[in-house]
Structures are given as C-alpha cells and as structure tokens.
Amino acid sequence: MALCGGVGAMALPSELIVHIFSFLSDRDKLRASAVCSRWRECLFYPALWTELKLRIGGGCDRGGSSSDETSRLEFLMRKFGSFVRELQLELAPVEGYLSPLNNDPSSARMDQPPGPESDPQLSERWRDAMATYLDQVLCVFTSIRNNRNLQRLSLYGDTCILQQEGLLDSSNLHQIHQGDKKINEIQQLFMELLSNSRQLRWLSCSFMLGLVTPCSLACLSNPSAETLQHLSLLDHQLGPLISPSELDRLSNLHSLALDFSDLTSELCGLLASPRRTPLHRLSLLLNGAALEFKPLEGTATEDDWKALVRVSTNLRVYIMALEVDSMELLRVLKPSLPLERLHLDSYSTLVTDATLELISQQYNKTLTHFLLLRDDPDFPDLSVNRNEDPLVLLAWRCTKLAVLVIHGYTVWSHNLVAISRLRGSSLRVLTVSEESIDFDPDQAVCMEGDPVHNLVKEVSLGLGRVWHPCLDSSLVLSEPTQHFHRELHAFSMGM
C-alpha cells in the first residue's frame, strides 16, 4: 500500500500496526520486535500473544545453543505467560537419533532407539537433552501457574526419549542433575496451574514424562471442572491417571481421550449418567506392550457400551491399536461400540482376515477411517483366496468409509480396483504403498500394456480423480503415538 507524501510505515496508528503484525508467526513477531522501539512496543501488545505454540528440547537443531533457546523461552514466557489464552507445548526429539520428525520418519519405527547407557556419546547427548527439557518445562510452568485466563493447554512429549523395552517411565531422570527434584517441581507447578485456572476448556497431556500423576486432576479448580469440555490423558504409566470421583466432577465433557485399559466399567458407567452432558468423542489408545501390566480385565463391557450409547447417541469412537494381536482385538471390539476411526499399527503383529471380517460386519454403519499398517519386511496376504479379499468386503459393507490407508499387507491390484469402484469419490483418501501392491500373473496375461499404468488408470477412473500408489513408505508410516495425538485433536475438534 503506497502512502501519500512519502510518509512511512512509522506514521501508521498503533492499532493498525498491531493488526498487521497479527498475521505473523510467533518467531517472525520476535524478529520484527528488533527493528525499532515503536515496533517492539506494538509487538508486545497482549492481543498478539493470546495463543502460543512452543517446541522445546531436542538439542541445538535450530541453530545456537540450548542455553540460547532457554533464554529466548524465558523472555517469551516472562512477557506473555501470565495472560496467554491458548498454549501448545511440544517436546522436540533428541537431535540426531531420536527423531520421528526428521527427514527419515521410518527410521524411528524400523530401529528401536538405543537406551541412554548403550553408547557413551548418545548417553551424554541424552542427558543434555533431558536436562534442557526439564529446565524449559520448569520455565513454562513457572510462568503460567497463576494464569487464570488460560482456556486451552495442549502438551505432547516425544515418546522415544525414555524408551525402555517398549514402555515409558521417568525412572532414568535420577541420572540428570537434580532430575528427581525438577520433575517434582514440574508436577507441583502443574497442579498449581490447575488449581488457579478458572475457565479451562481444553486440557490435553500426552506422554509428558511423568508430568501428570494420579493426584493431578484432584487439584483442578471447581470453575474449570465446570467449563472443561475436552480431556486427554495419555501415558504409559502403570496406573490410571483419572479416578471415578475426578471424572464425576467433569460433568460437561464433550470429548475424552484415555488409554483403553483405563476405561473401566465404572468409568464407562459414570459417562453414561443422564446427569452429564452427552459425550460426543472418545479416543482410546490400546498399546499391546502395556497389556502385561495393564490388562483388559475390568474394562467396559458390551452392556456398558450399550448404556453409554443410549445416553450419548452421537458418540463416535477412535481407536489406535498399537502392536495388538487379533485375539486381543476381538476382546476389545464390542458390537455396540460406535467405532468411527480404527488405526491398526504394528511392527510385526499380524491382523487376520477374521478380524477384518468382524470389523466390516460390526461397524458397517459407522466406520469412516481405517488404517492398516505394519512395518515388517514380510507382506502377508489377507485373502483366503484372491476373489474374497477382506479389504474389498470392508469397502463394500462400510458405506461411510472415507479414508483407507494400507501398508505392510499384500493388496492385489484387481482388488484395489474393486475397492475404488465400490466407494468411488466418497473414498476421499486411498493411500496404498507401492510395496504392498502385487499383480496376479494369470490376469496379466489377458491385459495389454504396463500393469502399473493400467492399475493407476483403473483406480483413477473408479475414484473419479487422479490416483497414484505411494512410492515412499515413510510418508505412510509415522511415529504412531504422535500420529494418534494429532489425529485425536482433529477428531475431537470436529464435533
């Protein structure tokens, strides 16, 4: 916009400058604040900082030292921590070897990260990253603990940081200087924050290395207990993070995310109470590695699900089953469970054709998203015979299916064409890795031209849009709990 008479941007009213700066990212705002004192004054206007998205820890991959990053974080939180309305805090992976967000996402799945004692150099990097993490989390919670205006708090920690034989805990924090003391301080500050809050509507905590304890929710203030609409508590701890009495206080929840083993029959009964606001979204993580310590005994029964659905008629459920065999899945997938999204993910555990048959029959009216992923060099064939593929039957029966993602199982090309024709344009996402696709040699004899080209053409015609197989399996495979954390947020916000 040209200004008359050679008047520069400095002549603009402060209100207009603040409005223009509202379109900048947090990082760009901080950079712009160094231009001049006028811009600095405008950029630190509270209205520009009602929402903060922070990524902490992870070493020095953004340039500069971890102490520089901590100093910037301290400055930012000192300025805005007391009045920010929405805060999203994510723990970055340790630079160089624990990174599901790096350039090779499949590496985080294919090779389990070494423990901190397996290599001296990695051990030192691990300790440095954990020390930085603790200091920065302390900084954040120290600044927001008295914030009464906080409405949304979303916390996510990289699960690979403390991976010990498939389970996560905070037992190694004693190796960090004052680690036990700092984690106790962080837990105390978190409870103070919950106690001081007055209008919290969204509280999500996923894998934050022992931040939430079974006592944390007891500190939530009564006003926030009334206003809270979304609660997500995901952790690989051995005990549940929410008690029946605490859930009973949260009478206005619209969405909830828990470990499947923590959804007991008693909790499900409380959610089915007619005195409560009906529940709309329920996200459940079933981790096979934890079932030895958190068995499924005592979880919601078929009668519990029926009672819940009677009260919450619009309830939809999202389940991720991570490294769970078919026998356990059959125990979990109750007929009355209103399943909308199902993600079956494993490194080696097989899903059987009988399980897929059950899914397609029981959830034919509700299932919209189905992800079947397996990160193993073998690609088993789920078909009893090539004319009765369970994935084709699923596409035929599940009339609302909109997202289908497959990797790690053999999908015959003619069955893939059948799926595209059955669902057509209503199948918004069809992602199948190239390695998963196989071609029937008997059919290839009767067809002319390149079989891959013919497949692409036929599937594209079936879907009514251009389609190609996924050439890079790393685009299909992601760190599963991180994927679940992000998808459940989109699922819960889509009410």
Side-chain angles (χ1 to χ4, degrees), residues 126-138 162 169-188 208-211:
W126 178 86
R127 289 190 179 93
D128 289 343
M130 284 308 305
T132 300
Y133 161 77
L134 292 175
D135 289 339
Q136 293 183 349
V137 172
L138 267 174
L162 291 179
D169 58 42
S170 56
S171 60
N172 289 316
L173 288 174
H174 69 274
Q175 300 178 32
I176 313 302
H177 177 61
Q178 294 188 323
D180 292 331
K181 177 183 177 182
K182 288 181 179 180
I183 198 67
N184 289 334
E185 287 181 34
I186 291 170
Q187 291 171 351
Q188 184 61 40
M208 282 297 289
L209 309 186
L211 169 67

Side-chain angles (χ1 to χ4, degrees), residues 295-315:
L296 294 173
E297 281 72 25
T299 55
T301 65
E302 170 68 3
D303 289 338
D304 295 327
W305 283 110
K306 287 181 178 179
L308 180 56
V309 172
R310 278 196 297 269
V311 173
S312 302
T313 55
N314 294 321
L315 177 65

Side-chain angles (χ1 to χ4, degrees), residues 135-423:
D135 289 339
Q136 293 183 349
V137 172
L138 267 174
C139 168
V140 171
F141 280 104
T142 299
S143 301
I144 66 173
R145 62 177 172 179
N146 293 317
N147 187 335
R148 297 188 171 215
N149 298 315
L150 192 64
Q151 297 178 6
R152 294 173 64 93
L153 179 61
S154 177
L155 309 169
Y156 172 76
D158 190 311
T159 60
C160 291
I161 292 294
L162 291 179
Q163 184 146 357
Q164 297 294 318
E165 299 179 357
L167 290 176
L168 305 174
D169 58 42
S170 56
S171 60
N172 289 316
L173 288 174
H174 69 274
Q175 300 178 32
I176 313 302
H177 177 61
Q178 294 188 323
D180 292 331
K181 177 183 177 182
K182 288 181 179 180
I183 198 67
N184 289 334
E185 287 181 34
I186 291 170
Q187 291 171 351
Q188 184 61 40
L189 289 170
F190 179 61
M191 289 189 285
E192 285 185 37
L193 168 67
L194 297 182
S195 177
N196 291 326
S197 66
R198 289 297 178 267
Q199 47 186 322
L200 203 59
R201 293 186 290 109
W202 182 286
L203 177 60
S204 175
C205 185
S206 301
F207 317 113
M208 282 297 289
L209 309 186
L211 169 67
V212 184
T213 71
C215 302
S216 298
L217 277 184
C219 298
L220 186 68
S221 68
N222 288 329
S224 284
E226 290 292 323
T227 59
L228 196 66
Q229 296 182 2
H230 170 82
L231 175 65
S232 174
L233 295 177
L234 297 168
D235 207 322
H236 295 309
Q237 295 187 30
L238 300 184
L241 297 176
I242 184 169
S243 66
S245 60
E246 293 308 322
L247 181 64
D248 195 38
R249 291 178 66 211
L250 311 178
S251 58
N252 291 311
L253 282 182
H254 288 75
S255 61
L256 177 65
L258 292 174
D259 188 284
F260 196 102
S261 298
D262 292 341
L263 185 68
T264 62
S265 181
E266 184 177 8
L267 286 189
C268 197
L270 286 173
L271 292 171
S273 170
R275 298 180 290 103
R276 301 178 58 90
T277 298
L279 196 65
H280 291 269
R281 297 289 184 268
L282 179 59
S283 302
L284 301 168
L285 176 64
L286 179 61
N287 190 345
L291 289 180
E292 180 182 353
F293 307 96
K294 299 176 71 171
L296 294 173
E297 281 72 25
T299 55
T301 65
E302 170 68 3
D303 289 338
D304 295 327
W305 283 110
K306 287 181 178 179
L308 180 56
V309 172
R310 278 196 297 269
V311 173
S312 302
T313 55
N314 294 321
L315 177 65
R316 290 295 178 265
V317 177
Y318 170 28
I319 293 178
M320 170 180 273
L322 179 59
E323 206 65 41
V324 179
D325 61 35
S326 288
M327 184 177 299
E328 298 292 353
L329 280 174
L330 294 177
R331 295 179 58 193
V332 165
L333 299 176
K334 309 293 186 184
S336 295
L337 191 157
L339 187 64
E340 182 176 285
R341 304 187 184 196
L342 179 60
H343 182 160
L344 305 181
D345 203 319
S346 74
Y347 299 105
S348 57
T349 303
L350 278 173
V351 174
T352 65
D353 60 307
T355 303
L356 293 184
E357 176 75 11
L358 176 75
I359 292 167
S360 65
Q361 288 184 347
Q362 289 189 170
Y363 310 116
N364 60 310
K365 295 181 180 179
T366 59
L367 192 68
T368 64
H369 291 58
F370 184 62
L371 288 78
L372 181 63
L373 304 177
R374 185 170 177 266
D375 193 4
D376 190 270
D378 297 326
F379 285 74
D381 184 2
L382 290 168
S383 308
V384 177
N385 60 69
R386 295 182 190 175
N387 295 317
E388 293 184 5
D389 186 280
L391 290 170
V392 175
L393 292 175
L394 184 138
W396 173 53
R397 290 171 176 152
C398 298
T399 56
K400 293 184 178 180
L401 190 68
V403 174
L404 180 61
V405 180
I406 305 168
H407 172 75
Y409 294 86
T410 294
V411 181
W412 295 97
S413 58
H414 61 278
N415 288 327
L416 192 54
V417 172
I419 290 171
S420 69
R421 291 175 178 174
L422 283 167
R423 294 270 52 87

Side-chain angles (χ1 to χ4, degrees), residues 27-131:
R27 184 174 293 273
D28 287 338
K29 288 174 191 173
L30 291 177
R31 288 172 177 167
S33 68
V35 171
C36 64
S37 59
R38 174 80 188 288
W39 280 24
R40 187 181 183 87
E41 180 183 344
C42 292
L43 279 160
F44 291 151
Y45 190 71
L48 288 176
W49 298 92
T50 57
E51 181 180 351
L52 280 179
K53 295 182 179 180
L54 304 175
R55 199 161 191 259
I56 65 171
C60 313
D61 55 337
R62 293 180 295 274
S65 65
S66 59
S67 60
D68 291 338
E69 291 290 326
T70 302
S71 298
R72 295 189 193 104
L73 180 67
E74 288 173 349
F75 172 80
L76 191 65
M77 296 310 300
R78 187 169 62 251
K79 283 283 187 180
F80 314 116
S82 61
F83 59 78
V84 64
R85 300 293 182 91
E86 300 182 13
L87 176 61
Q88 180 178 319
L89 179 66
E90 182 173 323
L91 171 62
V94 177
E95 177 192 4
Y97 86 107
L98 292 180
S99 180
L101 300 177
N102 63 11
N103 294 327
D104 183 13
S106 62
S107 64
R109 299 175 54 101
M110 296 291 288
D111 302 311
Q112 293 300 314
E117 299 304 326
S118 61
D119 183 287
Q121 186 177 2
L122 294 181
S123 177
E124 187 64 29
R125 189 188 308 162
W126 178 86
R127 289 190 179 93
D128 289 343
M130 284 308 305

